[in-house]
Amino acid sequence: MASISSSVSRISYSPFPSSLHRSRSREHTPPHVASFRKRSFGAITAVAASGRRYKGTVAREEKLAEMIAQKVAEAMQVCEGDEGKDSAACHVAWDEVEELSRAKALLHRRVASGHDPLEGFCKENPLSDECQLCDDD
Amino acid sequence: MAICAVYTATTPIHTTKPNFGFHQKHQLILYTSKERSRRWGRLSSNSTSSEISCSAETKTVVIGLAADSGCGKSTFMRRLTSVFGGAAEPPKGGNPDSNTLISDTTTVICLDDYHSLDRTGRKEKGVTALDPRANDFDLMYEQVKAIKDGVAVEKPIYNHVTGLLDPPELIKPPKILVIEGLHPMFDSRVRDLLDFSIYLDISNEVKFAWKIQRDMAERGHSLESIKASIEARKPDFDAYIDPQKQYADAVIEVLPTQLIPDDNEGKVLRVKLVMKEGVKYFSPVYLFDEGSTISWIPCGRKLTCSYPGIKFAYGPDAYFGNEVSVLEMDGQFDRLDELIYVESHLSNISTKFYGEVTQQMLKHADFPGSNNGTGLFQTIVGLKIRDLYEQIIAEKAAAPVEAAKV
């Protein structure tokens, strides 16, 4: 985040939906966001400050959660019985669960620390569907 | 060999070599432009600028980190890059699912990017990601070697969200390259490219406790599923990943505490730093008297600790046939003064000033492990790597340099 230089201020932003301005709630600003807010403007600061996430990110987290639930059920099934438990298919099934659990945990952590993976993309394409902001329930 | 050149221009100047603020010997840049050099050091200035550049050819230093925690978990990486200065972040403007982290001096690449089989492919063949058959070691060797020799590479991206192999991203040779993943020391050719290697060894009980913390809130997961997942991956882990321990220059072992009987929360930890003896540029950390066996409880008259306290041990040992020194910490830091007290009694920690370890730990007090041996030893290993790097660079910068004046 600190590497966003002052040149960012020269990028002209297309008008944002008015909801974006409403979302800038100062009382939720984490310290590291507040310090660079002076230099950079636009959607990034607003998102991080308001605790809202991009639609694309929310969709991904949802999809991962769904896949995890599905793969756990699959793995339980494949690994049934003594034979199932030692089979290659069983090992692979649980490895997939582990991979997805990790991916979701990492995504969650990145968003929580203010480094939404879609940040870069949404800076360039603020009007894209994925870059609409969602309220956090 | 040192190459010097003077550039004076009123038009934009681009340097071809990445330009880092950190310890750049023999390079002097003068510019009058207000525009600060951007991350990769290209001076784009429209005003008069002069650059005097004399650079000694520096090869990239390569560090290997073996861990089964997935890439981007990187508490270790964040501590390491912080020791060198700066924060490591995903490359801007590229694939949002890139596993790579880049800071001013360090690039961390995830070895999962060298999967030869994507998720579907692995399912078809019946191999887990832990299996060497799912990884392209030839490509891994080729690219790490190229980066080490100063050549940029187009590295594939393995997307953990989709499970597919995405189009490659460009990796330019940094000062320090860290390769992080399951198999950094598996292939002997890759192993020989490593200037230093670390293995993060988490015991099963601690792994289980951490995974519960990570996954219990997930819709699909339960205690049984988490347990089953660890057990199902264990055979491949024991066969392919665990044996790499013997090749590591430093092993960080994380075990349950011995200070609290029957503790299974995994919150208080016993952490061992196993350091190989006789490694070039690496002098193991010690307590009080190098090569002797020490047991030390710092809490007492001079230092008050809260439950369960802190306990240290140090001594020589044998590890898979190698001579090692082991420094061990059990317990937790509660206060700043405990940390500084401990730091002042450790030797060979390669700090540049008194209290540097404490400062680094405090800087990242929000990181996991900041109050126990994991954070402490990760920070110390980071400082040892910095020391190793500086020694390597000092050795290489032997040629005299001629500087031209503007």
Side-chain angles (χ1 to χ4, degrees):
Chain A
M1 293 258 238
S3 61
I4 296 172
S5 68
S6 55
S7 60
V8 168
S9 58
R10 276 180 251 126
I11 298 170
S12 59
Y13 286 97
S14 31
F16 291 112
S18 56
S19 57
L20 195 72
H21 299 292
R22 247 188 286 128
S23 73
R24 289 199 200 196
S25 51
R26 292 198 177 261
E27 68 258 38
H28 299 307
T29 312
H32 65 279
V33 173
S35 62
F36 80 87
R37 189 196 273 251
K38 298 170 209 155
R39 286 152 64 210
S40 66
F41 307 93
I44 307 156
T45 354
V47 171
S50 68
R52 298 168 85 191
R53 294 168 295 158
Y54 293 118
K55 193 168 165 196
T57 305
V58 174
R60 263 167 167 201
E61 288 197 23
E62 259 309 300
K63 177 134 194 290
L64 280 169
E66 240 175 69
M67 281 170 78
I68 291 172
Q70 180 202 331
K71 296 276 179 180
V72 168
E74 247 177 62
M76 298 279 219
Q77 214 182 21
V78 170
C79 300
E80 240 153 59
D82 283 330
E83 235 185 59
K85 231 173 133 200
D86 290 327
S87 68
C90 176
H91 298 163
V92 174
W94 282 118
D95 192 40
E96 279 186 354
V97 170
E98 171 62 23
E99 189 188 352
L100 291 166
S101 304
R102 257 185 218 171
K104 179 151 196 297
L106 174 61
L107 181 58
H108 186 78
R109 202 173 41 244
R110 277 176 80 174
V111 171
S113 68
H115 289 102
D116 193 311
L118 282 179
E119 223 177 87
F121 173 77
C122 289
K123 192 166 96 175
E124 306 294 316
N125 309 278
L127 295 180
S128 135
D129 188 46
E130 287 185 307
C131 298
Q132 303 311 306
L133 293 171
C134 293
D135 273 310
D136 265 348
D137 310 57
Chain B
M1 200 182 92
I3 307 144
C4 300
V6 182
Y7 302 94
T8 313
T10 49
T11 48
I13 298 170
H14 300 278
T15 58
T16 46
K17 272 190 110 146
N19 183 13
F20 306 106
F22 166 76
H23 243 113
Q24 186 77 12
K25 287 194 176 171
H26 320 305
Q27 186 142 3
L28 178 65
I29 292 114
L30 307 167
Y31 55 96
T32 55
S33 115
K34 287 180 193 152
E35 182 102 56
R36 301 201 51 144
S37 35
R38 286 170 47 216
R39 190 161 33 92
W40 287 107
R42 286 152 86 228
L43 293 168
S44 317
S45 102
N46 288 323
S47 51
T48 355
S49 309
S50 315
E51 181 193 332
I52 307 163
S53 165
C54 313
S55 48
E57 270 166 39
T58 48
K59 265 184 166 187
T60 301
V61 169
V62 185
I63 313 287
L65 172 66
D68 184 23
S69 354
C71 307
K73 181 186 206 262
S74 301
T75 310
F76 200 156
M77 286 305 108
R78 283 146 85 196
R79 287 192 200 275
L80 178 62
T81 48
S82 168
V83 162
F84 286 102
E89 281 152 24
K92 298 235 152 73
N95 187 331
D97 292 319
S98 163
N99 305 304
T100 306
L101 293 175
I102 299 180
S103 80
D104 289 333
T105 54
T106 314
T107 294
V108 184
I109 63 181
C110 176
L111 293 178
D112 287 351
D113 290 334
Y114 293 110
H115 278 335
S116 48
L117 299 168
D118 63 14
R119 206 180 284 154
T120 324
R122 294 198 300 271
K123 193 169 188 163
E124 279 168 15
K125 283 232 165 117
V127 297
T128 62
L130 304 153
D131 196 314
R133 287 173 289 170
N135 299 284
D136 187 348
F137 290 104
D138 290 334
L139 185 62
M140 190 192 293
Y141 168 64
E142 237 178 72
Q143 295 204 332
V144 175
K145 184 164 197 307
I147 296 174
K148 187 159 184 164
D149 290 340
V151 180
V153 300
E154 290 276 353
K155 179 192 63 65
I157 298 176
Y158 177 76
N159 190 319
H160 287 100
V161 176
T162 60
L164 301 167
L165 283 158
D166 285 347
E169 61 185 347
L170 182 69
I171 303 291
K172 299 186 197 175
K175 284 188 150 39
I176 295 154
L177 176 72
V178 182
I179 59 172
E180 177 188 19
L182 292 165
H183 305 98
M185 298 168 253
F186 186 84
D187 186 285
S188 59
R189 300 166 297 173
V190 178
R191 222 183 303 149
D192 290 339
L193 293 172
L194 301 176
D195 293 293
F196 194 74
S197 54
I198 306 146
Y199 184 96
L200 195 51
D201 184 11
I202 318 288
S203 77
N204 289 318
E205 301 92 330
V206 176
K207 214 180 254 193
F208 187 38
W210 285 358
K211 294 213 169 159
I212 291 176
Q213 281 172 37
R214 186 190 76 184
D215 293 336
M216 267 313 263
E218 279 309 316
R219 211 180 306 158
H221 271 299
S222 60
L223 261 170
E224 296 82 45
S225 69
I226 295 171
K227 192 153 186 267
S229 169
I230 296 179
E231 274 172 17
R233 293 174 83 248
K234 204 165 181 302
D236 277 357
F237 183 85
D238 290 342
Y240 306 120
I241 315 300
D242 205 58
Q244 292 177 90
K245 283 201 290 218
Q246 61 186 297
Y247 303 115
D249 298 314
V251 177
I252 298 181
E253 261 184 62
V254 185
L255 304 148
T257 183
Q258 287 178 332
L259 301 174
I260 305 172
D262 301 322
D263 177 71
N264 60 355
E265 301 249 319
K267 297 240 163 81
V268 183
L269 299 168
R270 177 171 158 231
V271 190
K272 286 173 138 184
L273 178 59
V274 182
M275 299 163 282
K276 208 184 253 184
E277 289 287 344
V279 175
K280 204 174 182 196
Y281 311 119
F282 175 61
S283 49
V285 181
Y286 67 89
L287 246 184
F288 176 51
D289 178 22
E290 200 169 8
S292 60
T293 303
I294 310 276
S295 174
W296 181 46
I297 298 175
C299 317
R301 289 203 195 105
K302 282 202 270 182
L303 187 71
T304 331
C305 310
S306 45
Y307 183 78
I310 303 169
K311 188 170 177 198
F312 274 87
Y314 164 75
D317 205 348
Y319 188 79
F320 293 101
N322 302 310
E323 241 183 75
V324 296
S325 295
V326 184
L327 177 66
E328 181 184 318
M329 171 180 165
D330 197 350
Q332 286 186 153
F333 295 114
D334 240 350
R335 300 185 321 273
L336 174 61
D337 55 339
E338 289 172 9
L339 191 43
I340 194 94
Y341 190 83
V342 163
E343 180 181 348
S344 63
H345 288 82
L346 291 170
S347 307
N348 259 354
I349 43 176
S350 304
T351 48
K352 294 205 162 151
F353 53 85
Y354 175 75
E356 190 174 12
V357 173
T358 304
Q359 189 200 67
Q360 282 292 327
M361 297 273 282
L362 284 179
K363 208 162 137 193
H364 305 293
D366 55 322
F367 285 9
S370 290
N371 65 342
N372 60 40
T374 53
L376 177 65
F377 293 152
Q378 285 174 2
T379 305
I380 291 176
V381 168
L383 295 170
K384 301 304 280 176
I385 290 176
R386 180 182 68 185
D387 182 45
L388 176 134
Y389 172 78
E390 288 173 357
Q391 286 182 60
I392 292 177
I393 295 307
E395 230 186 56
K396 291 213 169 107
V401 173
E402 302 164 76
K405 283 208 164 177
V406 177

